[in-house]
Amino acid sequence: MSSNLLKLPDDTEPVTNADEEIFLVYTALNQKPLDLIGPDGFRGLGHVDSRKDTLSIQFELTAPSQPISSSGAAEYKSASTSRKGKSARKHRVGNEAPHIIDIELTQDKTALRSRKGDTGSVLWRASIAFAQVILQQHRFPPNNPLVDKDLLRESHVLELGAGTGLLSIALSACAKSYTATDIAPLLPLIRKNVALNFAGWTQNTKPPEGSPGSNISVEELDWETLLSLPPTGRSRYYPKPPEPNAEWDLVLIVDCIYHPSLLPALVETIETVSTAGKTWALVIVELRQEDVVREFLERWLDKGTWQLFRADGVLDLPYVVWAGQKLGQR
């Protein structure tokens, strides 16, 4: 089923050489003028606004005939109050009604500064940009969507490095199940944010089956722990889809390519959780350190078990989307 989950153009060329691919994407990046100032006064590494304890994210999904605000991107603002169980509301523009999705997130800005290596405790812009595209295409399917809407509805999605949990909140309604994973210290933050946005969710309970958010799971998956285990023991460590005997259809890795020491563990985790002939992996990267991104691609390609593609036209620079399908027979 999931072999057709991603709908890449027929003429999309596979990525086979990391050096060539890095040259192409960074040449394009260097030729494109970018807004280097973020909402907190500087672009930094790509977080939204690390000064705020709470952010309100708003996705505006607009019919193709309508102009979309914020240059096609989601909007956000700081907030001090929570709204449990929020639902989408509509604002009328002319004769059309854009679909508005509001999401509230808390951040742990203290952990960002005090917990060594912690980058997931604040929201990053790549997650907003990716969610906007998927939500927009899901609501108003274009002729060339990145993901097949109908197949995604029957798919089990695993996110690595989920951070604040934004994508699980935004995209869970599009999938059969959505499992957000990260290191153990970040799981309470993810669960807190899911609970802020779905009535019936708490740190320990879920809403009834079929209710909004009931298909979200939050589980520990530490890439370095997985790498430290013998290969025969790794399958017992990582979370499985909630459906018996199911395998992951889609693995999401959004803005997780930043520290070279984590790359061996990340690539091995992608390899381990994926099933040959079934699983697609989507890697969304904000182009920062060229050598780090190159090493990630080299390690992924060196596995020899994946066919990789660059999905052009999904996100604007400085973001790049690479799609990989694990090869072989199930």
Side-chain angles (χ1 to χ4, degrees):
M1 179 272 285
S2 57
S3 62
N4 297 316
L5 178 59
L6 296 193
K7 300 172 71 67
L8 300 173
D10 292 339
D11 59 352
T12 303
E13 293 289 334
V15 175
T16 58
N17 183 285
D19 287 330
E20 179 182 345
E21 179 70 359
I22 291 300
F23 174 78
L24 292 172
V25 297
Y26 276 90
T27 297
L29 178 69
N30 292 332
Q31 293 174 347
K32 181 179 175 64
L34 298 174
D35 178 10
L36 299 180
I37 304 299
D40 52 359
F42 60 97
R43 183 166 187 89
L45 289 175
H47 49 68
V48 171
D49 192 337
S50 62
R51 304 170 302 169
K52 304 297 184 182
D53 291 313
T54 308
L55 298 173
S56 289
I57 313 300
Q58 186 176 92
F59 295 99
E60 181 177 327
L61 314 180
T62 314
S65 60
Q66 295 177 244
I68 188 168
S69 64
S70 304
S71 301
E75 299 178 350
Y76 72 93
K77 58 185 178 181
S78 61
S80 57
T81 58
S82 66
R83 290 163 292 171
K84 214 174 184 66
K86 293 183 293 295
S87 59
R89 70 177 188 271
K90 295 182 178 180
H91 295 315
R92 186 161 296 279
V93 180
N95 295 323
E96 298 288 342
H99 189 74
I100 305 297
I101 298 176
D102 289 317
I103 294 175
E104 183 175 339
L105 287 180
T106 58
Q107 303 188 114
D108 188 350
K109 60 186 183 183
T110 302
L112 177 67
R113 295 169 174 81
S114 63
R115 195 156 57 209
K116 184 178 180 181
D118 188 318
T119 57
S121 55
V122 296
L123 180 61
W124 296 78
R125 286 192 288 269
S127 294
I128 296 179
F130 178 68
Q132 174 70 38
V133 168
I134 299 302
L135 290 170
Q136 173 70 25
Q137 292 188 357
H138 190 80
R139 181 75 180 184
F140 301 105
N143 293 328
N144 56 342
L146 174 64
V147 183
D148 185 292
K149 175 180 177 178
D150 295 328
L151 293 181
L152 181 60
R153 191 179 292 115
E154 299 301 319
S155 294
H156 298 290
V157 179
L158 176 71
E159 183 184 358
L160 307 182
T164 61
L166 171 70
L167 291 176
S168 65
I169 299 164
L171 304 182
S172 59
C174 304
K176 187 170 188 177
S177 76
Y178 195 109
T179 298
T181 68
D182 216 310
I183 57 175
L186 283 172
L187 302 187
L189 178 64
I190 299 174
R191 293 187 179 114
K192 179 179 181 180
N193 283 328
V194 174
L196 281 174
N197 291 274
F198 295 109
W201 242 95
T202 71
Q203 288 283 351
N204 302 310
T205 63
K206 290 185 181 183
E209 185 176 352
S211 302
S214 62
N215 64 336
I216 299 175
S217 298
V218 180
E219 304 285 349
E220 179 181 356
L221 178 47
D222 186 320
W223 315 332
E224 292 185 301
T225 298
L226 182 143
L227 183 62
S228 71
L229 297 172
T232 55
R234 291 172 184 169
S235 64
R236 295 192 295 270
Y237 170 67
Y238 69 86
K240 308 301 189 297
E243 182 180 340
N245 302 316
E247 297 156 325
W248 297 113
D249 297 288
L250 178 63
V251 178
L252 292 181
I253 306 98
V254 180
D255 211 4
C256 292
I257 315 300
Y258 57 89
H259 202 298
S261 68
L262 293 176
L263 297 181
L266 174 57
V267 171
E268 192 60 41
T269 300
I270 296 171
E271 174 75 13
T272 300
V273 303
S274 301
T275 301
K278 180 178 181 67
T279 305
W280 280 94
L282 269 179
V283 177
I284 291 82
V285 176
E286 180 170 352
L287 295 176
R288 302 185 186 96
Q289 294 174 276
E290 183 175 330
D291 290 346
V292 176
V293 181
R294 177 186 289 105
E295 182 182 346
F296 168 75
L297 274 183
E298 287 174 343
R299 288 182 176 275
W300 201 10
L301 285 167
D302 285 348
K303 282 293 178 184
T305 53
W306 291 84
Q307 188 168 32
L308 305 187
F309 305 89
R310 185 185 344 127
D312 287 328
V314 177
L315 294 174
D316 293 332
L317 290 169
Y319 305 113
V320 171
V321 179
W322 282 297
Q325 186 173 32
K326 193 167 186 182
L327 300 174
Q329 299 295 320
R330 295 178 59 189

